Structure formats: C-alpha cells, structure tokens
Amino acid sequence: MDINFEYYKIFYYAAKYKNITKAAAALGSNQPNVTRIIKLLESQLNCRLFIREPRGLRLTEEGEKLYSHVEIAYKHFMNAQEEISGQSDSGSGTIELGATETALHLLLLDAMRNFKANHPKIRIKVHNYSTPELIQFLNSGKIDFAVITTPFQAAKSFQCETLYDFREILVGGLQYQILCERKLELQELKNYPLIGLGRGTATYDLYKDFFIAHDTDMELDMEVASSDLMIPLIQSNLGIGFVPEDLALPLLEKQQLVQIRINNTIPPRSIQIVSDKGRRKSTAADTFYQYLKTEHKVKNSK
C-alpha cells in the first residue's frame, strides 16, 4: 500500500494535539485540508482513526495502534533529516531520555545540569516512568536510551552498563525513634505501616521477593507512584519505608528521620544505562550517552 508520507505527518499532528485547529496551525495548513487528508487516510487504510467529540478528537483503537508506530517513525525521520542536512552535530539536537525517579535524583539531575552547561543547544526530553515501562519504551524505539534502577530483565539486544551502585536503608519519622533501640526481624515490620512504590515497579518486585525469601510477606499500607513522594510521607510519620541512603542521609543528619536497623542484608541496587545495540543513536543522544559513561568512570576512579 503506497500512502503519501504527508498523510502520516498530518495524522501525527492531529493525533498529537487531538484537535484539528491546533494540528492545522502546527502544520501551517488549514482545517478543511487537515480534515480532507484524514478522511483520505482512513479511506486508504479502510478503518476509522478518529472519533469527533465536543472537546476535540479521540483516537479509535486502530488510531492508537497507528499512532504508536507513526510517532516513533516521525521522530526518527526528523532526527535523521536534521543530521543529514548538517543542522545537528554534537552541539545541537534532541535527546529522548528515559529515566526512573531514583535515577533522576541520585545521578541524572546533576549530570544533566553539567551537560547542559556545555551543550546549551541540545534539548533533553525526559520520559519519567517505572523501570518496566521504560524497558517497553526502549523496545518500541520511543526513547534513545534509558537510565534505570535494578532489578530488570533486558533483551539480549540491549547493552546494559552500571553507572552507580547504591544501597537502601529502612527509615521512619521521629515517631518511630523507639524502633532504633535494637535490630528488628523482617517479620516484625508487619506490625508497622509500610510505605513503598506500588505494583508494576522494579522496587515493589525487589522487596516482594526479599520478604518472601525470608519467609514473610510484604504488605504495603501506603502505595505511592513515585519515589519522590516517599520521604515526605515518612517524615510525616505515616509509616516506615526503604529509601536510598544518599537521599535519606541529609535528613538523618538534621534529625528529621531515624534509621531503623534490621537483621537482614537489604539487596544492593544500581543505576544502569541501557540502550538497544541494534538501533543507531542520534549524534546528540550519543554525546550525552558517552558523557554519562565517562563521568561514571571518572567517579569510580576517585
């Protein structure tokens, strides 16, 4: 089936903005032309792609499937066009970066700030999701590479390198000071409200397996979607939880948190940079990728 690329371009903008008027403005076109092209595309594909609603457009199931492919293809096409035309070099371009919340706070925020100081024209789009979701994004080609926290399972086509090793500790608010008097057994934690990342995250799976390995079960009293929310909730004495030591240390020193010791070794974790060996990175993405790897080696040598 030979379909004009412009049709897919117009479909991409209509799906992106979910509005004919906004899509036409972004394309420098007009509403009747955008509507006409969408109808032609639907006719050639023999399916309906959009449903008109009072507030704009909604993708049909077929439209969602098409957009998941067109979005990736269009971004790759634009990146390739920039590089070939000489508009993109190591000093410009766009990076589609996947990152977990923990990776952002422990490593990437500082790294991006330093990188941007030397490469101000490079744009970085951060896709902040859980480790399993970012693995899927990498599989589908939506991101150039991911900086994620272990544990995870990666395809053989993926290249994984450790950037940063870290450990987590169990902490609580000042209300839990009494728990610091001795080391607790893991089973005893069931007597206290536990705060943690919810189902579908690498952290949840890690601690679920950790508890099971010690003949007990993990029951979260409060599930959060982001690790960024955990420490404020713990500080508010809403429960106890496992958090990266580097993030907890400043609050422990200020006596705003207390460390709760347990008679078990908490599983070590790491932040890894993951890319698809079979997919070429843009010049901008490769520049940042190599920067992260170099910075990691420098830090480890100190």
Side-chain angles (χ1 to χ4, degrees):
M1 185 182 297
D2 187 16
I3 297 178
N4 192 319
F5 171 76
E6 284 297 313
Y7 291 11
Y8 287 122
K9 181 179 178 181
I10 289 171
F11 165 78
Y12 167 76
Y13 278 97
K16 178 181 178 181
Y17 291 110
K18 294 182 173 58
N19 183 286
I20 294 291
T21 303
K22 291 180 180 179
L27 289 160
S29 184
N30 55 64
Q31 290 178 265
N33 186 55
V34 171
T35 301
R36 180 179 64 84
I37 295 300
I38 288 173
K39 287 182 178 178
L40 283 172
L41 182 60
E42 288 178 326
S43 176
Q44 292 192 25
L45 293 174
N46 196 31
C47 68
R48 193 176 183 184
L49 299 172
F50 293 100
I51 296 172
R52 286 184 175 272
E53 295 183 333
R55 294 185 179 181
L57 301 174
R58 177 168 60 87
L59 286 165
T60 63
E61 184 178 346
E62 291 80 4
E64 290 281 4
K65 289 179 181 178
L66 181 62
Y67 183 66
S68 68
H69 294 284
V70 170
E71 179 189 23
I72 297 166
Y74 185 74
K75 287 179 179 178
H76 285 316
F77 178 82
M78 295 307 294
N79 287 338
Q81 182 175 276
E82 284 184 0
E83 289 198 29
I84 292 170
S85 65
Q87 296 175 11
S88 177
D89 53 31
S90 61
S92 63
T94 301
I95 302 167
E96 301 283 348
L97 170 67
T100 60
E101 196 84 35
T102 300
L104 277 170
H105 287 285
L106 289 181
L107 185 144
L108 277 174
L109 291 179
D110 286 340
M112 287 191 290
R113 181 172 58 251
N114 295 334
F115 180 80
K116 286 289 288 182
N118 295 314
H119 302 84
K121 292 183 180 180
I122 290 182
R123 300 180 298 275
I124 303 177
K125 295 183 179 179
V126 180
H127 301 264
N128 180 209
Y129 294 96
S130 69
T131 293
E133 288 172 316
L134 290 173
I135 289 291
Q136 292 179 5
F137 273 35
L138 199 55
N139 264 320
S140 65
K142 287 186 177 181
I143 54 178
D144 293 309
F145 61 89
V147 182
I148 56 182
T149 43
T150 58
F152 62 84
Q153 290 186 335
K156 291 182 179 179
S157 60
F158 285 179
Q159 179 171 320
C160 309
E161 298 180 71
T162 299
L163 293 178
Y164 187 78
D165 292 314
F166 68 97
R167 75 184 190 108
E168 294 185 314
I169 58 176
L170 181 62
V171 297
L174 299 183
Q175 179 179 307
Y176 294 92
Q177 180 75 47
I178 192 172
L179 300 183
C180 303
E181 295 177 358
R182 63 180 177 84
K183 285 188 176 182
L184 302 180
E185 299 298 333
L186 202 59
Q187 290 85 348
E188 292 182 82
L189 300 188
K190 298 179 72 172
N191 299 323
Y192 306 97
L194 191 62
I195 300 173
L197 291 178
R199 291 167 178 79
T201 65
T203 300
Y204 179 88
D205 292 340
L206 174 76
Y207 281 103
K208 190 74 173 176
D209 292 342
F210 175 55
F211 275 65
I212 290 173
H214 291 86
D215 302 318
T216 187
D217 190 27
M218 180 182 74
E219 294 182 7
L220 294 179
D221 291 82
M222 191 174 292
E223 292 188 21
V224 297
S226 163
S227 59
D228 203 28
L229 298 172
M230 284 188 61
I231 289 181
L233 293 173
I234 293 170
Q235 272 186 283
S236 299
N237 292 307
L238 292 171
I240 60 178
F242 296 93
V243 300
E245 184 179 28
D246 289 355
L247 298 182
L249 193 57
L251 297 173
L252 290 171
E253 291 174 347
K254 293 177 182 178
Q255 297 185 337
Q256 295 176 3
L257 287 178
V258 296
Q259 181 175 354
I260 301 165
R261 297 172 301 155
I262 59 174
N263 269 324
N264 309 91
T265 302
I266 299 172
R269 306 190 70 181
S270 67
I271 295 172
Q272 299 200 5
I273 187 168
V274 185
S275 63
D276 189 333
K277 291 183 286 188
R279 187 178 296 121
R280 183 180 178 275
K281 302 179 191 67
S282 67
T283 304
D286 190 57
T287 301
F288 188 42
Y289 181 87
Q290 297 302 330
Y291 170 81
L292 288 174
K293 289 173 59 178
T294 301
E295 282 298 295
H296 157 67
K297 289 178 182 176
V298 169
K299 287 178 180 178
N300 276 0
S301 65
K302 291 180 179 179

